[in-house]
Amino acid sequence: MKQIDRLLAEKLLKISAIKLQPELPFTWASGWNSPIYTDNRKTLSYPDIRSFIKVEMCRMILENFDMPDAIAGVATGAIAMGALVADTLGLPYVYVRSTPKDHGLENLIEGNLKPGQKVVVIEDLISTGGSSLKAVEAIRAAGCEVVGMAAIFTYGFPIAEKRFSDAAVNIITLSNYNSMLEAALATNYIREEDLATLKEWRRDPANWAPGK
């Protein structure tokens, strides 16, 4: 039986939530060249995959964090999945904006958190960890305890791992870059000779260039 991380990676590749183009890299908003592009919001359009992620994320949360007091999604990619997880667990739900709303109450957190609540944060994708940790800071500033973060997928960048460690955030993910590479190779999505390029990029994504 396939492990969850490998099984989910296959599903993400199949619906192009993850795209790999080692020879024709993407350009991220940060300006980085990248042989991979990930958009896990596409999973919402596939009820079976959406449900699979929701159920497995709830299981993962309960196994690693017990039952929290509330769930928080990180805007915008994890708003919907966070709500699905909270609904399944029967818990209060909020989502955290990247910046405060520019009118009205200028909320950074949408919804109601009570000081002292134990919160699990939901993310769709872990890249460098910057935006994810801003959400953690906002929840802590509201007087709550972040008991952990659960994400659909992570690139596994060393800089992200260090940031989460420094911030004392316990993070768990359903799938990851290494499992995705295994799935991509097994399904002939990539060739054996592409592996070196894809692994090299992950080691230093900020300075990687195709053919370097």
Side-chain angles (χ1 to χ4, degrees), residues 5 8-9 12 38 40-41 43-44 53-54 57 60 77-78 81 122-126 150-154 172-176:
D5 53 356
L8 178 55
L12 296 177
T38 306
N40 287 326
R41 285 170 288 200
T43 61
L44 300 172
I53 292 172
K54 174 190 71 176
M57 189 162 280
M60 185 170 67
M81 186 52 65
I122 306 297
E123 260 289 23
D124 65 322
L125 174 67
I126 302 297
I152 296 174
F153 187 82
T154 179
I172 52 176
T173 63
L174 285 177
S175 192
N176 56 73

Side-chain angles (χ1 to χ4, degrees), residues 2-55:
K2 292 178 182 176
Q3 296 294 316
I4 297 300
D5 53 356
R6 172 73 177 271
L7 185 58
L8 178 55
E10 290 181 4
K11 293 177 183 293
L12 296 177
L13 287 165
K14 185 175 181 180
I15 64 171
S16 295
I18 292 177
K19 291 184 178 181
L20 297 173
Q21 294 181 184
E23 296 178 354
L24 188 63
F26 303 94
T27 301
W28 285 3
S30 62
W32 289 5
N33 291 305
S34 171
I36 181 172
Y37 186 79
T38 306
D39 182 5
N40 287 326
R41 285 170 288 200
K42 287 192 173 185
T43 61
L44 300 172
S45 298
Y46 299 84
D48 56 332
I49 299 177
R50 182 180 70 208
S51 180
F52 176 86
I53 292 172
K54 174 190 71 176
V55 169

Side-chain angles (χ1 to χ4, degrees), residues 15-16 126 131 166 177 188 199:
I15 64 171
S16 295
I126 302 297
S131 59
D166 290 347
Y177 193 76
N188 296 316
K199 289 179 178 179

Side-chain angles (χ1 to χ4, degrees), residues 192-203:
E192 185 77 39
E193 51 265 38
D194 293 325
L195 278 178
T197 298
L198 290 161
K199 289 179 178 179
E200 182 63 31
W201 168 79
R202 207 259 299 268
R203 279 191 285 270

Side-chain angles (χ1 to χ4, degrees), residues 124-144:
D124 65 322
L125 174 67
I126 302 297
S127 181
T128 62
S131 59
S132 305
L133 288 172
K134 283 182 180 179
V136 169
E137 290 171 5
I139 294 167
R140 287 173 171 170
C144 295

Side-chain angles (χ1 to χ4, degrees), residues 143-190:
C144 295
E145 177 186 352
V146 175
V147 295
M149 179 178 293
I152 296 174
F153 187 82
T154 179
Y155 292 126
F157 292 148
I159 186 175
E161 294 173 357
K162 184 178 186 306
R163 282 176 171 174
F164 283 111
S165 176
D166 290 347
V169 176
N170 186 5
I171 181 167
I172 52 176
T173 63
L174 285 177
S175 192
N176 56 73
Y177 193 76
N178 289 338
S179 296
M180 181 276 299
L181 291 182
E182 292 175 4
L185 190 60
T187 57
N188 296 316
Y189 190 107
I190 58 172

Side-chain angles (χ1 to χ4, degrees), residues 65-121:
F65 306 130
D66 295 324
M67 182 67 84
D69 299 315
I71 297 293
V74 179
T76 60
I79 290 177
M81 186 52 65
L84 289 169
V85 168
D87 188 61
T88 301
L89 294 175
L91 293 174
Y93 177 66
V94 303
Y95 71 85
V96 186
R97 294 174 171 272
S98 56
T99 56
K101 190 160 57 175
D102 60 4
H103 60 279
L105 298 177
E106 299 182 347
N107 294 334
L108 185 58
I109 298 175
E110 297 290 0
N112 292 316
L113 283 178
K114 298 177 182 178
Q117 284 186 315
K118 295 183 177 181
V119 181
V120 169
V121 180

